């Protein structure tokens, strides 16, 4: 495959007049251009389905404007990936980025989330919680769908002579983006380790564009952070274009791998992106009401999923068959809300209960927050549940209650992401290295307590506080200091 050469406009390379480009008015990036050759993928039913899958899962039930969808996000990621590749082609022709490289990365960017189930990550959570095992991962389903759509006649015709079997392997590797493989491949301790087959070490930087578990700066995160800012009505002032202007592929001084690096002068801009993601994990993704909405939705689905038929499968088993899976989207909520259950003449009591639970969420009649605590050990978690159950049996607690436990890592489970971003200096733009920072976020496991009625919440709060004062129990964190964004 011919390399791109210096001085050429990437938008004019590989031009076939019948393709041109597709234009989209995007609320985040403005008017964006996607290469027309990708249109055959955008127009498939598998991709169009993403219009009806919310990006922010159940967050919409707490923040009403959080209605962005996976369709626009995937277009945004593809736009950013092509924008980055265009810059590298012009500024660093010595990288020898080929047309196959360009389209492989573009396809991975466009289709990386095509395997998401209804309400995005919530579907994975529901399957895991109800079946008590991880039966579904959207990345693996994305690869299945990509393999299918790449066999369509229109797609094969558009990419004839551009994609081969190695390129398809490369696409799958970028979409799957195994954290452990990436961390080992880019670490000094495993300098001879290279788990990838699609591209060798000379093109190592291509693996950092879509999903980057090393630095946390990739086109997927850059898009969704800005998109979430828009739909959560948070003005953060992220300046990605300034960061893009400094992007270079440099040699890592420790591993000799080619890395996606930035100038030191944009450290604060990148830190702002990282901080915004951390803030959203604290104030939105892990919002106390979103946690209870997830629990209530899971309760609703547990009661009725067997009656939500998709072909010969149901809501939570449809992913086992690719043809039935592509029928799944967020419309399952309307089916519950309006009791649209096929082959059911008289709704069973469980279906009525599922509808009632969903209506409580819609009408914001959620369980009442009673306080939160920090888990100090597995034994503390067990002891807390036993203590609450004992209080209930003794009559000290009345009504329904629910305990929600989750990991609170602020989106940086491996530490400060800024210290893992490769930076180059003005005096040495060919080499890059990481820098150390003091801020190292801790991973915490927290527990929230909710009860059914507001008038008994104070009693539940006192009981939880008393339990936390006992030895080997969770650490009481209070009632009012759980972070959240002020609602309009």
């Amino acid at each position: 495959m011919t390399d791109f050469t210096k001085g050429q406009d990437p938008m004019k390379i590989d031009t076939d007049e019948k393709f041109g480009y597709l234009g989209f008015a995007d609320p985040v990036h403005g008017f964006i251009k996607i290469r027309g050759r990708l249109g055959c993928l955008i127009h498939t039913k598998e991709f169009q389905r993403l219009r009806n899958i919310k990006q922010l899962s159940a967050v919409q039930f707490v923040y009403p404007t959080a209605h962005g969808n996976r369709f626009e996000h995937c277009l945004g990621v593809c736009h950013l990936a092509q924008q980055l590749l265009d810059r590298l082609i012009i500024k660093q022709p010595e990288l020898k980025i080929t047309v196959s490289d360009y389209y492989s990365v573009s396809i991975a960017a466009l289709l990386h989330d095509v395997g998401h189930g209804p309400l995005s990550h919530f579907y994975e959570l529901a399957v895991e919680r109800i079946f008590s095992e991880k039966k579904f991962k959207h990345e693996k389903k994305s690869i299945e769908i990509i393999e299918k759509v790449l066999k369509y006649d229109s797609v094969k015709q558009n990419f004839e002579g551009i994609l081969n079997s190695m390129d398809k392997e490369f696409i799958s590797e970028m979409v799957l983006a195994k954290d452990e493989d990436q961390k080992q491949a880019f670490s000094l301790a495993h300098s001879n380790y290279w788990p990838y087959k699609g591209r060798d070490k000379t093109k190592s930087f291509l693996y950092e564009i879509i999903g980057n578990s090393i630095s946390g700066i990739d086109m997927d995160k850059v898009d969704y952070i800005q998109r979430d800012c828009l739909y959560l009505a948070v003005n953060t002032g992220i300046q990605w274009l300034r960061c893009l202007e400094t992007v270079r592929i440099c040699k890592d001084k420790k591993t000799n791998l080619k890395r996606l690096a930035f100038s030191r002068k944009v450290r604060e801009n990148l830190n702002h992106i990282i901080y915004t993601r951390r803030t959203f994990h604290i104030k939105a993704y892990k919002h106390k009401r979103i946690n209870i909405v997830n629990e209530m939705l899971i309760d609703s689905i547990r009661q009725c999923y067997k009656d939500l038929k998709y072909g010969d499968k149901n809501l939570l088993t449809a992913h086992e068959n690719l043809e039935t899976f592509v029928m799944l989207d967020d419309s399952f909520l309307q089916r519950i809300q309006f009791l649209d259950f096929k082959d059911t003449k008289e709704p069973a009591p469980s279906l009525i209960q599922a509808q009632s639970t969903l209506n409580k969420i819609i009408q914001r009649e959620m369980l009442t927050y009673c306080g939160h605590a920090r888990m100090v050990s597995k034994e503390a978690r067990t002891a807390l549940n036993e203590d609450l159950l004992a209080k209930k049996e003794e009559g000290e607690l009345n009504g329904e209650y629910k305990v929600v436990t989750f990991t609170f890592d602020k989106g940086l489970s491996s530490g400060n992401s800024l210290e893992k971003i490769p930076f180059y200096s003005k005096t040495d733009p060919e080499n890059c290295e990481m820098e150390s920072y003091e801020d190292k976020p801790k991973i915490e496991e927290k527990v929230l307590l909710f009860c059914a009625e507001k008038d008994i919440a104070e009693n539940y709060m006192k009981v939880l506080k008393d339990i936390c004062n006992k030895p080997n129990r969770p650490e009481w964190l209070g009632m009012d200091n759980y972070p959240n964004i002020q609602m309009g």
Side-chain angles (χ1 to χ4, degrees):
M1 180 62 63
T2 305
D3 301 331
F4 289 113
T5 56
K6 189 173 184 179
Q8 288 181 296
D9 179 359
M11 286 304 293
K12 296 179 180 178
I13 296 173
D14 182 38
T15 296
D16 186 324
E17 290 187 0
K18 71 177 182 180
F19 292 120
Y21 64 85
L22 299 176
F24 297 90
D26 184 76
V28 175
H29 307 298
F31 185 76
I32 64 177
K33 295 180 178 180
I34 304 293
R35 286 187 179 268
R37 210 178 272 272
L38 296 168
C40 59
L41 297 170
I42 294 173
H43 301 324
T44 61
K45 64 181 179 182
E46 289 82 1
F47 189 78
Q48 291 293 318
R49 162 183 168 272
L50 299 181
R51 291 180 183 271
N52 299 316
I53 295 180
K54 293 288 191 298
Q55 171 87 8
L56 284 166
S57 302
V59 176
Q60 60 180 306
F61 292 111
V62 177
Y63 301 110
T65 60
H67 53 72
N69 58 58
R70 290 281 164 187
F71 180 87
E72 59 188 86
H73 165 62
C74 287
L75 289 177
V77 176
C78 185
H79 160 70
L80 290 175
Q82 291 189 345
Q83 197 177 47
L84 174 58
L85 288 168
D86 290 346
R87 175 178 173 78
L88 295 178
I89 289 166
I90 293 172
K91 298 295 184 180
Q92 293 182 269
E94 68 275 10
L95 296 173
K96 297 182 178 180
I97 296 173
T98 67
V99 175
S100 292
D101 293 335
Y102 192 99
Y103 276 113
S104 294
V105 174
S106 297
I107 291 171
L110 184 68
L111 302 182
H112 75 285
D113 275 347
V114 77
H116 265 295
L119 295 181
S120 295
H121 292 287
F122 172 80
Y123 185 76
E124 291 169 87
L125 175 65
V127 172
E128 178 182 350
R129 289 283 299 278
I130 292 174
F131 292 124
S132 300
E133 58 180 303
K134 294 183 178 180
K135 286 190 172 185
F136 175 79
K137 297 295 289 183
H138 79 270
E139 295 91 349
K140 292 183 178 179
K141 189 58 63 177
S142 292
I143 291 172
E144 287 183 44
I145 293 175
I146 291 170
E147 290 174 350
K148 177 187 175 183
V149 299
L150 289 180
K151 294 177 182 177
Y152 288 165
D153 290 339
S154 60
V155 177
K156 288 195 293 185
Q157 184 178 351
N158 277 19
F159 292 99
E160 184 177 3
I162 294 178
L163 299 181
N164 58 31
S165 58
M166 188 173 292
D167 297 318
K168 294 174 183 177
E169 179 78 18
F170 178 40
I171 292 169
S172 295
E173 289 170 341
M174 286 187 285
V175 172
L176 192 56
K178 290 183 179 179
D179 289 357
E180 197 58 39
D181 281 348
Q182 200 170 52
K183 288 173 182 176
Q184 290 185 17
F186 284 85
S187 70
L188 179 62
H190 299 82
S191 56
N192 295 321
Y193 177 75
W194 191 250
Y196 304 117
K197 299 178 182 178
R199 293 295 185 273
D200 60 24
K201 289 186 176 183
T202 62
K203 297 288 180 72
S204 56
F205 60 92
L206 294 176
Y207 286 97
E208 296 188 273
I209 295 176
I210 311 302
N212 192 335
S213 62
I214 311 300
S215 70
I217 299 296
D218 54 59
M219 300 310 99
D220 180 27
K221 295 183 184 67
V222 169
D223 181 83
Y224 83 64
I225 290 170
Q226 294 183 87
R227 205 165 292 279
D228 291 355
C229 287
L230 172 69
Y231 288 117
L232 291 172
V234 177
N235 184 9
T236 62
I238 290 175
Q239 296 179 311
W240 167 246
L241 289 179
R242 173 170 167 76
C243 300
L244 178 66
E245 284 300 311
T246 75
V247 166
R248 283 188 59 82
I249 303 305
C250 304
K251 185 174 73 173
D252 189 319
K253 291 182 179 179
K254 291 184 177 180
T255 65
N256 290 324
L257 288 174
K258 293 180 180 179
R259 299 290 308 276
L260 195 65
F262 298 86
S263 169
R264 286 195 173 97
K265 67 183 181 182
V266 297
R267 280 179 296 190
E268 287 307 311
N269 300 87
L270 292 171
N271 191 41
H272 191 46
I273 294 174
I274 295 167
Y275 174 78
T276 301
R277 183 169 182 245
R278 288 171 59 185
T279 300
F280 279 156
H281 270 267
I282 297 169
K283 299 181 177 180
Y285 311 144
K286 302 294 185 181
H287 189 285
K288 58 180 180 289
R289 288 200 174 274
I290 290 168
N291 277 284
I292 196 58
V293 165
N294 284 337
E295 293 297 319
M296 293 174 73
L297 270 179
I298 288 172
D299 286 346
S300 179
I301 290 171
R302 182 182 284 112
Q303 292 159 345
C304 70
Y305 74 89
K306 293 180 181 178
D307 294 293
L308 282 170
K309 297 295 184 182
Y310 294 86
D312 61 347
K313 301 291 183 179
N314 62 52
L315 176 65
L316 297 186
T317 61
H319 64 85
E320 297 171 357
N321 181 289
L322 209 53
E323 292 302 318
T324 55
F325 178 75
V326 296
M327 298 166 62
L328 287 179
D329 60 27
D330 292 1
S331 63
F332 84 93
L333 291 171
Q334 282 69 47
R335 293 185 63 186
I336 297 175
Q337 188 178 5
F338 298 106
L339 293 178
D340 179 16
F341 299 97
K342 296 179 180 179
D343 304 321
T344 303
K345 296 180 180 179
E346 289 287 333
S350 61
L351 306 183
I352 302 295
Q353 186 61 42
Q355 181 195 52
S356 175
T357 303
L358 178 59
N359 284 338
K360 286 181 180 179
I361 296 172
I362 294 171
Q363 296 163 16
R364 301 174 75 92
E365 296 175 3
M366 303 168 198
L367 298 180
T368 302
Y369 171 64
C370 303
H372 72 297
R374 180 185 295 112
M375 285 297 182
V376 294
S377 65
K378 291 181 179 180
E379 292 74 18
R381 182 195 309 168
T382 302
L384 172 63
N385 289 327
E386 291 175 350
D387 288 348
L388 287 171
L389 185 59
K391 296 288 186 182
K392 178 83 170 179
E393 292 175 348
E394 293 168 4
E396 192 170 341
L397 294 176
N398 298 314
E400 177 189 358
Y401 73 86
K402 190 173 286 289
V403 176
V404 179
T405 305
F406 64 94
T407 301
F408 204 79
D409 62 10
K410 303 180 182 179
L412 294 175
S413 57
S414 57
N416 189 335
S417 194
L418 191 63
E419 69 179 7
K420 298 182 180 180
I421 298 175
F423 288 104
Y424 65 85
S425 64
K426 189 175 182 179
T427 56
D428 186 13
E430 302 302 318
N431 299 290
C432 61
E433 60 185 344
M434 277 65 75
E435 300 177 359
S436 296
Y437 298 86
E438 295 181 359
D439 180 25
K440 299 182 185 297
K442 296 180 180 179
I443 301 174
E444 298 177 334
E445 186 177 16
K446 293 193 176 183
V447 58
L448 306 178
L449 180 64
F450 297 86
C451 69
E453 304 293 339
K454 289 184 179 180
D455 56 0
I456 60 175
E458 185 176 352
N459 184 45
Y460 269 89
M461 183 270 290
K462 290 179 180 178
V463 169
L464 177 59
K465 186 176 181 180
D466 290 342
I467 291 174
C468 291
N469 286 331
K470 296 179 180 180
N472 301 317
R473 297 297 190 275
E475 178 187 347
W476 172 250
L477 295 176
M479 178 81 172
D480 300 323
N481 61 344
Y482 191 91
N484 65 79
I485 296 175
Q486 293 297 320
M487 296 290 291

